[in-house]
Amino acid sequence: MEARVEAIARGEAGELVWLLEHPPLYTAGVSAKPGDLLDATRFPVFRSGRGGQFTYHGPGQRVAYVMLDLTRRGRDVRLFVRALQAWIIEALAELGVEGEVRDDRVGVWVRRAAPAREDKVAAIGVKLRRWVSFHGVSLNVDPDLGHFSGIVPCGVTGHGVTSLADLGRPAPMSVADAALLAAFGEIFGPVAEAPPPL
């Protein structure tokens, strides 16, 4: 990812988004607080240079690493993060879920009726280098939600974590990917599928 970001910054490669699944692991962003890692032995912990705090990645979660040239797209970090949120919200709408953002919390959230609460369905953690973005977003399609209990997800307490399956909107990963692809085009412009990197 870092090599691709450097190549994009030098004008030697095009923008790219990777859609993937990780094995179970925790990642720590630059703002991660040691006390938010509740079970350091549960899964491997990787320190990353992305923004944000601790999060979980694993099977059933779609991770999108977004490598875009913000010099071409306007050097506005807040606008870029809002566009990422809009991308996820648009994809969720395609999947029958109403996602929302909160001024005091990062990510995309859904309202739950019983008991009344808000749960996070997608996380955002990005970094910029030479105005090229990397890291990105993660959408909970059908991960084991119990795996989030080893951390304080994104440093947020008092709210839960959910998934499409938990919300009663199960979808195969291929359907979630199709929604993400269509929504990406709506928010960021035309896309073309590319083979996985070697």
Side-chain angles (χ1 to χ4, degrees), residues 21 56-62 121 139-148 161-166 173:
E21 282 179 275
Y56 164 77
H57 294 310
Q61 182 190 70
R62 177 52 80 214
V121 69
L139 172 64
N140 295 328
V141 178
D142 190 14
D144 183 337
L145 296 177
H147 291 172
F148 285 91
V161 177
T162 190
S163 67
L164 295 176
D166 183 54
M173 194 64 76

Side-chain angles (χ1 to χ4, degrees), residues 13 16 55 74 96 99 103-104 114-115 118 124 127 134 140 179 196:
L16 190 64
T55 196
D103 290 336
D104 60 337
E118 294 181 340
I124 297 174
K127 182 170 181 166
F134 58 120
N140 295 328

